[in-house]
Amino acid sequence: MAKRALITGITGQDGAYLSQLLLAKGYEVFGAVRRTASINTWRLSELGIEKDIQFLDFDLLEFSNILRVIEKTAPDEIYNLAAQSFVGTSFEQPIYTGEVDGLAVTRILEAIRLHAKDGIRYYQASTSEMFGKVQETPQRETTPFYPRSPYGVAKVYGHWITVNYREAHGIHASSGILFNHESPMRGTEFVTRKITLGLARIKCGDADKLRLGNLDAKRDWGFAGDYVEGMWQMLQQPQPDDYVLATGETHAVEEFVDLAARSIDMDIEWQGEGPHRVGIELKSGRPIVVVDPAFFRPAEVDLLLGDPRKATEQLGWHRKVSFAQLVEDMAIKDLDRLRSGSLRF
Ligand code: NAP
Ligand code: GDP
């Protein structure tokens, strides 16, 4: 009989890639979606899998709804990917973010505990943002957390409550501490996709400048398609556990801009320092990238660099797509979308 997976956050970047992976493995996939005026399934439709998913109304804020969805779908595996996932917004909506990214994890775990604690395997989407002001480099499973945003703080709660339900109630609950992972399906508010879409718009004459915040921030960026494989591998282990998924490389935002621009034939030369730094397009001599303090964070995470050795050794996980390949794929895809008029987001 086909395994059954319930995915929360199925309309998001990771939800789309994970659905594709599980469908290819023969799973029956149930997609938990919150009601909105018009459900946004563009990612699933771009991957050609929307028709293969059974959708259910779901909201992380409503316990009875979570319980009913679990009863109805009787899943073998639950992947909790739903979240208010943007750090910037978490400074503006800290209470909502705490509810959805923190407390809601307890709602799902409690529903599993009440419903069928022995039968269900649970995946929690933890994050490198929990390391925040990093206490050691590279960061690994044992590195102490020091979150720097309401998002990071809420995710620390979600992480520890997952560990607690595993230890206290014997639930097969695992937590993936995933470093930033990107793709052409990434939300446009995140810096990588903001860069690739922004540069493509400039190239097509639809915009004249890309406004960014801290160009010096460094992230360990991988490809989302590689990371969903690790999520699945975690739930196939006989014992639940926590794993870091990362590339083991870190790159600055400015470097991402350089590579993305080069991928679409727009070389950039940098001038000035700090808030006065400007990226000049060599061909036209125009300033196309400028720093806008509106995008600075009240508290910044300066550098993230993960050590994925545990996942490599115990799960056999490793990333396949290089940083350079990821940037190029994203940049070219956004340019293609604009040129063909197929940009849906
Ligand atoms: P994403 O694209 O922003 O998707 C978030 C999903 O959560 C969307 O489907 C969204 O639905 C749903 N959602 C938000 N609030 C909800 C609510 N109250 N009830 C039900 N669903 C709700 O995020 P992602 O990049 O795929 O990331 C997946 C998970 O991994 C998130 O938990 C994120 O925090 C975590 N994570 C991501 C990264 C990364 O680099 N991508 C790294 C570490 C951890 P709508 O479509 O209706 O908005
Ligand atoms: P995060 O690591 O989850 O916060 O992912 P983001 O893609 O939102 O941000 C990554 C880094 O890029 C952070 O250190 C941001 O401060 C930095 N950054 C610089 N300019 C921007 C910008 O214009 N938008 C966003 N989202 N981040 C920016």
Side-chain angles (χ1 to χ4, degrees):
M1 221 171 72
K3 273 197 184 172
R4 298 156 74 87
L6 173 64
I7 303 178
T8 77
I10 198 161
T11 53
Q13 170 189 259
D14 291 6
Y17 285 108
L18 180 65
S19 300
Q20 185 183 45
L21 178 81
L22 296 184
L23 287 167
K25 288 185 184 296
Y27 276 67
E28 206 174 331
V29 175
F30 297 91
V33 290
R34 61 175 165 172
R35 206 209 76 83
T36 51
S38 45
I39 290 171
N40 195 348
T41 50
W42 71 271
R43 294 179 173 94
L44 299 165
S45 100
E46 214 169 281
L47 293 178
I49 56 172
E50 190 177 354
K51 62 185 181 324
D52 302 319
I53 291 161
Q54 302 173 54
F55 294 101
L56 294 102
D57 274 347
F58 176 91
D59 203 299
L60 284 167
L61 298 176
E62 182 81 38
F63 177 70
S64 62
N65 169 235
I66 295 174
L67 196 57
R68 270 195 301 279
V69 165
I70 292 178
E71 278 169 2
K72 235 187 246 173
T73 55
D76 299 292
E77 297 170 9
I78 297 178
Y79 295 86
N80 180 33
L81 309 183
Q84 189 304 91
S85 65
F86 186 46
V87 169
T89 294
S90 79
F91 286 104
E92 294 303 318
Q93 301 179 358
I95 299 166
Y96 175 76
T97 303
E99 276 284 349
V100 169
D101 298 7
L103 203 52
V105 180
T106 312
R107 293 192 185 98
I108 302 179
L109 289 166
E110 207 35 32
I112 293 173
R113 179 179 162 213
L114 288 172
H115 178 65
K117 74 170 185 176
D118 297 330
I120 298 177
R121 296 186 173 197
Y122 176 79
Y123 173 83
Q124 171 59 21
S126 287
T127 166
S128 53
E129 288 293 320
M130 300 189 304
F131 296 123
K133 188 172 176 185
V134 297
Q135 301 297 293
E136 66 175 341
T137 296
Q139 296 87 48
R140 49 178 73 92
E141 291 79 4
T142 50
T143 303
F145 299 138
Y146 193 138
R148 292 274 278 172
S149 62
Y151 170 78
V153 173
K155 284 284 187 177
V156 169
Y157 175 89
H159 180 81
W160 279 116
I161 202 71
T162 301
V163 174
N164 181 254
Y165 269 63
R166 175 167 81 215
E167 293 176 353
H169 304 300
I171 292 175
H172 193 295
S174 295
S175 196
I177 306 175
L178 271 51
F179 282 63
N180 297 51
H181 44 280
E182 318 294 313
S183 73
M185 305 274 187
R186 186 63 146 147
T188 52
E189 67 276 40
F190 295 92
V191 77
T192 55
R193 185 83 201 292
K194 182 177 172 181
I195 293 167
T196 57
L197 186 56
L199 291 175
R201 284 200 162 120
I202 294 169
K203 177 102 182 165
C204 292
D206 296 345
D208 63 348
K209 277 191 186 61
L210 170 62
R211 297 178 184 281
L212 296 173
N214 178 10
L215 298 173
D216 298 325
K218 290 184 151 184
R219 289 291 182 277
D220 180 328
W221 279 299
F223 170 55
D226 289 344
Y227 287 54
V228 299
E229 186 102 35
M231 297 177 187
W232 175 78
Q233 287 172 323
M234 287 177 213
L235 295 206
Q236 310 317 304
Q237 302 308 302
Q239 297 305 324
D241 205 345
D242 306 323
Y243 300 90
V244 161
L245 299 186
T247 69
E249 280 175 34
T250 190
H251 300 272
V253 170
E254 187 169 303
E255 204 181 332
F256 194 105
V257 176
D258 275 331
L259 269 183
R262 209 171 306 144
S263 304
I264 55 171
D265 197 22
M266 292 175 84
D267 286 77
I268 284 178
E269 183 181 87
W270 294 94
Q271 293 176 5
E273 290 306 324
H276 306 294
R277 194 134 176 95
V278 178
I280 314 276
E281 191 199 4
L282 279 177
K283 258 188 214 155
S284 64
R286 285 185 308 145
I288 58 166
V289 187
V290 295
V291 173
D292 184 341
F295 297 107
F296 290 165
R297 304 256 161 98
E300 176 63 295
V301 173
D302 297 318
L303 175 140
L304 291 174
L305 173 62
D307 177 355
R309 255 179 306 175
K310 180 175 171 186
T312 305
E313 285 163 15
Q314 293 185 20
L315 305 177
W317 180 83
H318 52 91
R319 61 93 177 245
K320 298 182 187 100
V321 177
S322 69
F323 175 68
Q325 189 64 54
L326 170 69
V327 179
E328 187 179 314
D329 290 350
M330 290 179 69
I332 289 175
K333 183 71 183 181
D334 270 330
L335 187 58
D336 284 351
R337 280 172 172 146
L338 279 184
R339 284 182 167 162
S340 62
S342 63
L343 177 70
R344 293 175 66 186
F345 252 108

